[in-house]
Amino acid sequence: MTFTWIRSFCAATVLLCLSTLIISSSAVIYDQYSDLPLGKEYNFVIAGGGTAGLALASRLSENSAFNVLVLEAATSSIGVFNITVPYFSTRNMLQYDWNLTTTVQSGLGDRWLFFPRRFILGGSSSINGMFYTRSSVDDFNRFAGVTGDDGWSWDNIQQYLALNERLVSPAGNPNTAGEFDPDVHYIGGAVDVSLPSFSQNIDSKVLDAAHKLGGVYSYNEDVNSGMPLGLGRRSSSVTAYLSDESRDNLDVLVNARVARVVPTKNRNTTAGYSFRTVDFTQNITDGTFIQVTASKEVIICGGAVGSPQILLNSGIGNSTALSAAGITPLIDLPSVGQNLSDQPFIANAFLANTSNTYDDINRNDTVLKEALTEWLGEDRLPGVFRGAGPLGDTFANQISYYRVSEELTGHYGDFSAGVTSPHLEIYPGNGYFLTPPTTGYYLSMTTVVVSPASRGSITVNDSNPFTPPLIDPGYLTVDFDVAAMKEAFKILYTFLNASVWDDYILEPPVGLPSIPDFFTMNSTQLDAQLESYVCNSTSSLAHPVGTVAMSAKNASYGVLDPDLKVKGVDGLRVVDASAFPFVTCSHTQVPVYVFVERAAEIIKASWQ
């Protein structure tokens, strides 16, 4: 069996978003609206205290002349121990999730999926997998091209990466020579970023396989250079951007669920409607709403689900669909809620001939206690540094990116941003992803389509602003995505067929052939088996974007101008992953921070 790839590089070391200190919040966090300072006027009201919202609030409040209020639906994350432990990102903490589901997905055999969106201060940055990946040169250059604003280009966003990243040493200061390129990183930003601190059992095998296979599997020293082909405590937007310097001009109100934005009375504007007032509640059962008005802007930071939901409930969207849902249309913007893009993934668990995995941490309380003692460090285990052991890292120490074959792109088209952008991501995990079975030890090889062609939507079907929206990601509804995921398995099996894995893998995941059978099966039979497995096993990587996408200033489509203002209205912006016109080829946390850093600069400049 022979495959041809345009370009790909494998087995780069993962960088993690972390924080080496517990940082107290600079904001005052309030539980009740009545506790807010009496008579205080807010210049900016931010709807959503997640990854984007808190970072933006921090940057805006650097100007002492600005008073900023953040409205967050969930409770505070301050002092929640489980979310500070990096490895616990492998656990389903449903008490901190919106517990949303998708509509039935025709591309997934008419299955519906759990759709992770985090319900806690800091949002997904408080619970995600912590991967620090910037995406590619072409991703940001495509943003610039689509919007007509060169400020979104790769070269021009470097200043915002510098504001975001603070590269620090891993816990224990291990030798990291050759594992990253220091010349492409920054040391003065807000978010602590580090290489993994704990070597996993499979690390040497992964790197040995890459070196032995060479070619498309060759080692890429740093996937964050813009060419991605080829501890400590978690760092969230809470720990990174709410510093220990007290600011009395930044308030955060938790348990405050935003329903809509409403036109501000007596506001003269040439744009038509001015939206500077927010309706929210602290009790969704009693039907009472509180209004707060920003003197300058309301900024929605609700994410790819929450932001379009707020806009639609405000009468901003497709007028016909809004009327059908019982909502009075105010601004006809048909693109609101459309263009939903998410990265489909499969966590493929191979039964392994070892007991040196992380599986017992997630199913054996004694093993977990030992790992926690090691991670807590010197006060619990003399002579052992804080952040030591397996709990100091996330579930993968390496990450690899690939472009698919020219045959595939020639047949279906190329849906990546360009030649520097991969279509696929594969990363190994030393154990079963999430909760393992009661017996057995596993090697997880996660496959992801990072540049998918499929698109979906976020819609509402009634006038209750707190009814969960209809989430239809449209997974695998474009043939390219199915073909790309199948090609990921051809890449994966070739990698696992390297001699370093001999006698290590005992059984494949249910539904996949053994490694020897993969290379001897009839091609038609193999293709059918892979297609069935992909259809029945694909889930969400939880990287949804695009539902309030920006476009060029005078474009007839899109929701936001390149400065992230909502088209055709005054006083309203959206700053979060919903603004991305396309999903980046990376995990989305770092691109969100880049958007925030540039948005903060744009907003500050507009109100000087």
Side-chain angles (χ1 to χ4, degrees):
M1 185 176 293
T2 303
F3 310 110
T4 303
W5 291 274
I6 300 171
R7 181 188 296 173
S8 59
F9 299 84
C10 177
T13 305
V14 167
L15 278 167
L16 306 178
C17 293
L18 58 83
S19 178
T20 54
L21 299 171
I22 301 176
I23 303 176
S24 60
S25 170
S26 65
V28 180
I29 298 178
Y30 297 93
D31 290 317
Q32 297 296 322
Y33 176 71
S34 58
D35 294 333
L36 288 171
L38 187 63
K40 188 172 185 178
E41 180 183 83
Y42 292 101
N43 306 109
F44 299 96
V45 176
I46 296 176
T51 307
L54 293 185
L56 183 61
S58 175
R59 290 306 190 197
L60 293 179
S61 64
E62 289 174 342
N63 185 331
S64 61
F66 294 160
N67 285 331
V68 182
L69 174 65
V70 178
L71 301 174
E72 167 55 38
T75 57
S76 174
S77 58
I78 304 297
V80 179
F81 177 74
N82 280 352
I83 69 170
T84 69
V85 182
Y87 184 73
F88 286 175
S89 64
T90 64
R91 298 183 166 193
N92 270 324
M93 289 186 268
L94 297 181
Q95 68 271 37
Y96 304 123
D97 203 282
W98 285 90
N99 292 312
L100 300 172
T101 57
T102 69
T103 59
V104 170
Q105 296 295 287
S106 61
L108 304 183
D110 292 333
R111 293 184 293 127
W112 57 265
L113 299 181
F114 172 64
F115 198 75
R117 303 312 298 150
R118 303 313 186 184
F119 188 73
I120 193 169
L121 189 65
S124 294
S125 71
S126 291
I127 298 183
N128 64 18
M130 298 171 52
F131 284 27
Y132 184 89
T133 54
R134 296 173 174 173
S135 76
S136 70
V137 170
D138 282 327
D139 272 331
F140 280 97
N141 287 347
R142 179 161 65 167
F143 288 169
V146 166
T147 62
D149 182 349
D150 198 51
W152 293 113
S153 68
W154 175 261
D155 287 343
N156 286 327
I157 61 96
Q158 292 305 305
Q159 58 186 307
Y160 307 114
L161 283 170
L163 290 170
N164 172 252
E165 182 186 18
R166 179 169 59 221
L167 189 67
V168 298
S169 297
N173 294 307
N175 182 4
T176 58
E179 295 184 9
F180 74 108
D181 180 0
D183 289 341
V184 300
H185 291 279
Y186 302 99
I187 60 173
V191 175
D192 285 357
V193 175
S194 170
L195 290 157
S197 60
F198 185 78
S199 295
Q200 297 183 10
N201 177 49
I202 59 172
D203 287 354
S204 61
K205 292 182 178 295
V206 170
L207 297 175
D208 285 350
H211 291 311
K212 287 181 183 298
L213 291 169
V216 299
Y217 298 96
S218 298
Y219 184 73
N220 179 2
E221 187 175 52
D222 204 314
V223 297
N224 283 300
S225 65
M227 306 291 181
L229 296 168
L231 149 112
R233 298 176 185 273
R234 166 186 296 278
S235 183
S236 67
S237 59
V238 180
T239 63
Y241 281 92
L242 299 186
S243 70
D244 55 1
E245 297 178 3
S246 178
R247 293 182 193 160
D248 60 8
N249 65 332
L250 173 55
D251 297 331
V252 176
L253 179 63
V254 296
N255 306 307
R257 193 160 174 183
V258 172
R260 61 181 70 85
V261 290
V262 297
T264 304
K265 295 178 180 178
N266 301 322
R267 186 85 186 198
N268 294 321
T269 172
T270 57
Y273 283 104
S274 175
F275 288 87
R276 285 181 168 84
T277 298
V278 179
D279 262 356
F280 70 96
T281 184
Q282 294 200 282
N283 187 341
I284 65 172
T285 61
D286 68 4
T288 59
F289 287 94
I290 302 166
Q291 286 194 343
V292 61
T293 297
S295 65
K296 298 185 184 300
E297 293 185 19
V298 168
I299 306 166
I300 300 175
C301 300
V305 176
S307 289
Q309 185 180 16
I310 291 171
L311 290 177
L312 292 168
N313 284 309
S314 306
I316 303 172
N318 184 301
S319 294
T320 302
L322 290 174
S323 295
I327 299 170
T328 301
L330 299 178
I331 303 294
D332 186 33
L333 279 179
S335 294
V336 174
Q338 303 303 302
N339 191 49
L340 172 60
S341 180
D342 190 17
Q343 295 169 336
F345 96 115
I346 308 175
N348 308 284
F350 292 80
L351 185 66
N353 184 23
T354 182
S355 60
N356 191 6
T357 70
Y358 286 179
D359 292 299
D360 284 336
I361 293 174
N362 283 337
R363 65 187 177 199
N364 185 309
D365 288 344
T366 300
V367 174
L368 174 59
K369 284 183 179 179
E370 292 172 353
L372 273 173
T373 299
E374 188 175 9
W375 184 78
L376 288 167
E378 293 178 354
D379 56 342
R380 301 295 183 94
L381 197 63
V384 177
F385 55 82
R386 293 180 184 273
L391 299 188
D393 296 327
T394 188
F395 43 84
N397 277 3
Q398 289 88 28
I399 192 169
S400 59
Y401 290 102
Y402 306 86
R403 286 184 62 80
V404 298
S405 66
E406 291 179 339
E407 179 184 3
L408 194 153
T409 56
H411 182 74
Y412 294 104
D414 189 351
F415 296 93
S416 73
V419 295
T420 68
S421 290
H423 303 99
L424 302 169
E425 172 184 291
I426 301 175
Y427 54 86
N430 191 28
Y432 199 93
F433 183 69
L434 301 182
T435 306
T438 55
T439 59
Y441 298 89
Y442 295 88
L443 167 69
S444 290
M445 297 296 292
T446 298
T447 52
V448 189
V449 180
V450 293
S451 297
S454 300
R455 296 291 184 269
S457 62
I458 302 289
T459 56
V460 295
N461 60 359
D462 66 37
S463 59
N464 182 345
F466 304 126
T467 299
L470 299 177
I471 303 171
D472 179 12
Y475 293 121
L476 307 187
T477 52
V478 177
D479 290 342
F480 170 84
D481 295 350
V482 179
M485 187 67 87
K486 288 191 293 185
E487 191 153 305
F489 285 99
K490 298 172 184 178
I491 296 169
L492 171 59
Y493 268 78
T494 301
F495 184 71
L496 293 179
N497 197 42
S499 60
V500 297
W501 300 104
D502 288 351
D503 301 321
Y504 188 82
I505 296 173
L506 299 176
E507 295 179 12
V510 175
L512 285 180
S514 68
I515 292 175
D517 287 347
F518 187 92
F519 296 97
T520 58
M521 287 178 67
N522 173 278
S523 60
T524 302
Q525 181 184 1
L526 175 60
D527 190 70
Q529 186 170 352
L530 287 177
E531 189 152 336
S532 175
Y533 178 81
V534 167
C535 175
N536 291 304
S537 304
T538 294
S539 295
S540 166
L541 194 61
H543 293 161
V545 307
T547 50
V548 188
M550 62 179 183
S551 62
K553 185 86 173 174
N554 297 316
S556 60
Y557 65 94
V559 182
L560 307 177
D561 286 333
D563 57 4
L564 305 176
K565 288 183 178 179
V566 177
K567 292 177 181 291
V569 306
D570 182 53
L572 186 61
R573 294 186 209 243
V574 178
V575 181
D576 55 36
S578 70
F580 295 8
F582 304 91
V583 67
T584 57
C585 67
S586 63
H587 297 238
T588 50
Q589 179 177 201
V590 178
V592 166
Y593 282 140
V594 168
F595 265 59
V596 166
E597 293 288 2
R598 184 164 191 239
E601 181 181 87
I602 291 171
I603 295 167
K604 287 178 180 178
S606 69
W607 291 104
Q608 283 183 347

